[in-house]
Amino acid sequence: MKLLTLTRRELGAYFLHPMAYIVLAPVLFFSGGLFADAFARASLNGYPIEMRHFIDIFNFLGMFVAPLMTMRLLAEEKKSGTFEMLVTAPVTDTGIVLSKYFAAVILWIFFLVPSLFYLFALNKFGANPDYGAAVCNYVGLVLLVGTFLAIGIFFSSTAANQIVAGILSFITLFFFYLLGLFQIESKWAGVDWAEVAKYASLFNRYQNFQKGVYDTRDVIYFLSLIAFFLFLTVKMIESRRWR
Amino acid sequence: MISVEHLVKRFAGVVAVNDISFSVNKGDILGFLGPNGAGKTTTMRVLSCFFPPTSGRVTVGGHDVVAHSMEVRSKVGYMPESVPLYLEMRVSEYLKYRARLKGVPGRDLTKRLDHVVGRCNLQEVRSRIIGQLSKGFRQRVGLAESLINDPALLILDEPTIGLDPNQILQVRDVIRDLAQDHTVILSTHILSEVERTCSRVIVIHKGKIAAADSMESLRRGALAGGRVRAEIRGPLAQVREALARLPQVSAVTAEPDGEFSLCTVEYAGGQDLREPIYAAAVENRWGLRELRFEKKSLEEMFVKITTQE
């Protein structure tokens, strides 16, 4: 009940700040542009258009969008002092973190909704998209960016300045992104580090979903990362008690 | 209502509050007085469950602030010094949100909202965006927020800071009104405020309680004795000498003003010195133009308490 109240306020705050609109506009612009491009090229060359041609952009956009969506969440509360009002209200620290996280995830899902239109358009023009793969893609996108958001919230709880929080979380996400591009053969101490990098990279994990392969291991990988960063965030908030 | 026993709060290397104990009864308006950095805000933050004490036991309404933090929080209305608000929200929207958060049941929501809006004179700004309001209105929104769930205890950190004189009077009226069915703790460094609103005072200095009592006895204790201004027509040196001979006089200052000597007589003890001064003037056949008892101010008391080591 309290969680609902908190989540509603957090969601409302996104739309009271210009942030939601600032983020939504480029998401729609780029995904729309890519779809038009993919559609045009497919019909010119006569090969079937696939969903990944235009949904690819979303995981890349998520890397920029997630820090923007989360950097304010706790840093701003601490800076303006509303943090004190929040943690002296009869709500738990876990409730505070979860509500902020849920609001961010819901907003991300909201951003994804317009892309359903592309599926509809494909169907309309007889391309007959693979709906199973589409569902898998969306699940993957929510899990992947959901992890980005958890990382973003964690950094927001560490910094007193939202710009610093945003930069820190972007650097972290970019690091994970580069990890996936790591190709060099490098064996050191009997370990194939390229393999380790591939294993740890968030983006590589997501590629399975993109191909339409649903693997429980990948889901658990993302969920455990989300839980880990949210746990760290709760601990950061609790640290006021013993610092 | 509140019991604080041997409260200690230590931050990395700094002892903010060092072993203070006090209790507050229902219906009291307790004033926390002290210079900046004395530990007022820290004590209030412990009471409002922002952070737990390093050691000591603090209970509010019988609930321990550490073990039963949630019960305490739902009984307390807390307004921090900076009055933090969500500036992008509208007044009524914000108050409703806080009411829900504090567990006010949905059916009472409108009633409570109307009540606090009326009490804090917010009718005209109800649907305005908080960020566009003046400091005085924001302060009152903060006060309204702390009242929204009808808490048994109100903790107000510097509630009148930054208000104009009219608004200060209004806020004081609200606080005095509240004391009929609430307990109030307020901190301030404006001494006249304590004098006008509080029934009890605790003076905190360097993390310790320097004085704690009712307003009346505090004044009597720290301000034992008094000061009399006398304007006497007579030779300066003789007048000064005659006054200094009176019982319990601790200091006499005198300066000439034509034929008159303007004297200030300070004395210890509870006796009124005006009559003996009059008698001394009559005895020496000096004229007496003015004889006035001056109440020592709270400022003097404050300085006396916080400078004695």
Side-chain angles (χ1 to χ4, degrees), chain A residues 36-115:
Chain A
D37 178 59
F39 198 85
R41 263 191 294 171
S43 48
L44 272 178
N45 300 326
Y47 61 77
I49 180 167
E50 282 176 59
M51 211 187 150
R52 62 180 172 84
H53 289 145
F54 57 89
I55 208 118
D56 249 16
I57 187 79
F58 276 98
N59 72 71
F60 192 69
L61 278 177
M63 194 166 69
F64 297 92
V65 162
L68 285 175
M69 280 166 67
T70 50
M71 63 186 197
R72 203 195 75 247
L73 292 179
L74 283 153
E76 173 103 333
E77 301 251 14
K78 279 193 284 182
K79 196 174 178 189
S80 71
T82 47
F83 182 70
E84 199 170 344
M85 298 301 289
L86 198 56
V87 298
T88 53
V91 287
T92 58
D93 294 347
T94 313
I96 292 168
V97 173
L98 282 183
S99 66
K100 286 182 182 290
Y101 181 69
F102 287 155
V105 171
I106 291 169
L107 186 70
W108 173 246
I109 292 173
F110 177 79
F111 286 170
L112 288 176
V113 167
S115 70

Side-chain angles (χ1 to χ4, degrees), chain A residues 2 5-6 8-9 13 16-17 77 80-92 240-241 243, chain B residues 9 11 45 48 50-52 70 73-74 78 80 84-86 88-89 94 97-98 100-103 145:
Chain A
K2 299 254 172 85
T5 306
L6 282 168
R8 256 176 60 182
R9 196 217 84 88
L16 291 174
H17 282 278
E77 301 251 14
S80 71
T82 47
F83 182 70
E84 199 170 344
M85 298 301 289
L86 198 56
V87 298
T88 53
V91 287
T92 58
R240 74 178 187 281
R241 299 185 193 281
R243 261 205 295 210
Chain B
K9 181 70 190 177
F11 298 107
R45 281 183 166 174
S48 64
F50 181 68
F51 42 46
M70 285 300 153
R73 292 189 211 181
S74 53
Y78 173 47
L85 303 165
Y86 290 121
E88 73 275 9
M89 289 176 105
Y94 174 70
Y97 155 68
R98 291 295 299 188
R100 283 201 200 93
L101 204 56
K102 289 176 164 184
E145 188 281 328

Side-chain angles (χ1 to χ4, degrees), chain B residues 35-56:
Chain B
N36 293 330
K40 291 172 290 184
T41 300
T42 305
T43 309
M44 291 182 144
R45 281 183 166 174
V46 170
L47 283 171
S48 64
C49 304
F50 181 68
F51 42 46
T54 306
S55 68

Side-chain angles (χ1 to χ4, degrees), chain A residues 130-184:
Chain A
D130 178 351
Y131 288 109
V135 169
C136 202
N137 238 308
Y138 280 113
V139 170
L141 270 178
V142 171
L143 284 173
L144 176 75
V145 178
T147 310
F148 293 175
L149 293 172
I151 291 171
I153 287 191
F154 166 69
F155 281 111
S156 186
S157 74
T158 61
N161 178 314
Q162 49 169 318
I163 305 296
V164 173
I167 290 172
L168 284 176
S169 50
F170 178 72
I171 289 173
T172 308
L173 296 183
F174 198 66
F175 170 76
F176 274 114
Y177 178 72
L178 290 181
L179 218 53
L181 303 178
F182 194 60
Q183 295 279 334
I184 310 158

